[in-house]
Amino acid sequence: MNTLYKIKAAFAVVAIGFVPVLFGEWKEGDVLPELSGFGLQGDLPELEGKVTYVDFWASWCAPCKAAFPEIERLYQKHGEKGFQVVAVSVDSSEKMMRRFLDRVKPSFATVWDEEQQLVETAEVGVMPTSFLVDGEGKIRSVHEGWGGKETAVELEAEILELLKEAGR
Amino acid sequence: MRFGKTLMVVGVGLAALLLSGCETVQPWEKGNLADYTMRDDRDELESVMTAHVTFSREASTGGEGVGGGGCGCN
């Protein structure tokens, strides 16, 4: 094998290795991967046929925590119509995560991404980042950051639209 | 000979990239930066001693922190 070819082949391997890094993040239109395959700790609800809000949060992230009361309100209001929430904690300390959850006591599903495998796959650019998934498992919108009431209003409109689409 | 040089250049380049010690902190890893152990003033005694040595060496005092009571009127 000629030397130049070997060098080119080596560069090609490195370049191919970067492809998932460049295009790995979850975006609108993607199908949400099976969450059970990422070693999450906690009970995952049944996602099929439901409008699901997947929220990446951490106890050290103030905007993430600020979003919890609004998410709880939306869950209480639309939960029976087929809306559900999966709050994925990316904390490295279980103690810190529990301390917050024990204080807030959310009624929606919370899981712990201890190995940070899921968040690494999602490649979120900021904390918090959340994904609104339709009944068919497709990501319909991505929310980066939390802008308070404004984000909540926008999110509720999207949830209602997806619930309507799903005939609920 | 030429191949050897090329290989060396590529090798040095790769080594520079891999051994540089640079690490990008991902958004979900930023909690590590907020950890108590990342604070440089977590040892109170050491902070006092460091300030004492600095002020003695520089012949100055009160050069750290913010003066005033926080009312913005000083």
Side-chain angles (χ1 to χ4, degrees), chain B residues 55 61-74:
Chain B
F55 298 148
T61 190
E64 64 171 4
V66 179
C71 62
C73 50
N74 294 320

Side-chain angles (χ1 to χ4, degrees), chain A residues 2-66:
Chain A
N2 125 357
T3 314
L4 193 63
Y5 180 76
K6 278 183 190 169
I7 294 172
K8 279 183 180 173
F11 276 112
V13 168
V14 172
I16 289 166
F18 274 107
V19 169
V21 175
L22 293 172
F23 302 104
E25 82 272 20
W26 297 355
K27 50 194 179 305
E28 281 179 35
D30 286 356
V31 174
L32 186 78
E34 185 58 53
L35 298 184
S36 57
F38 292 90
L40 298 172
Q41 292 191 30
D43 297 327
L44 278 169
E46 183 59 54
L47 306 185
E48 210 178 316
K50 293 198 171 180
V51 174
T52 309
Y53 183 69
V54 180
D55 178 41
F56 287 96
W57 70 280
S59 64
W60 45 262
C61 163
C64 307
K65 293 191 282 186

Side-chain angles (χ1 to χ4, degrees), chain A residues 41 57 59 89-91 93-102 110-113:
Chain A
Q41 292 191 30
W57 70 280
S59 64
S89 166
V90 300
D91 274 283
S93 157
E94 186 180 13
K95 191 177 145 193
M96 297 304 284
M97 176 189 77
R98 293 265 167 250
R99 188 182 290 175
F100 174 71
L101 291 177
D102 288 347
T110 54
V111 291
W112 183 31
D113 189 10

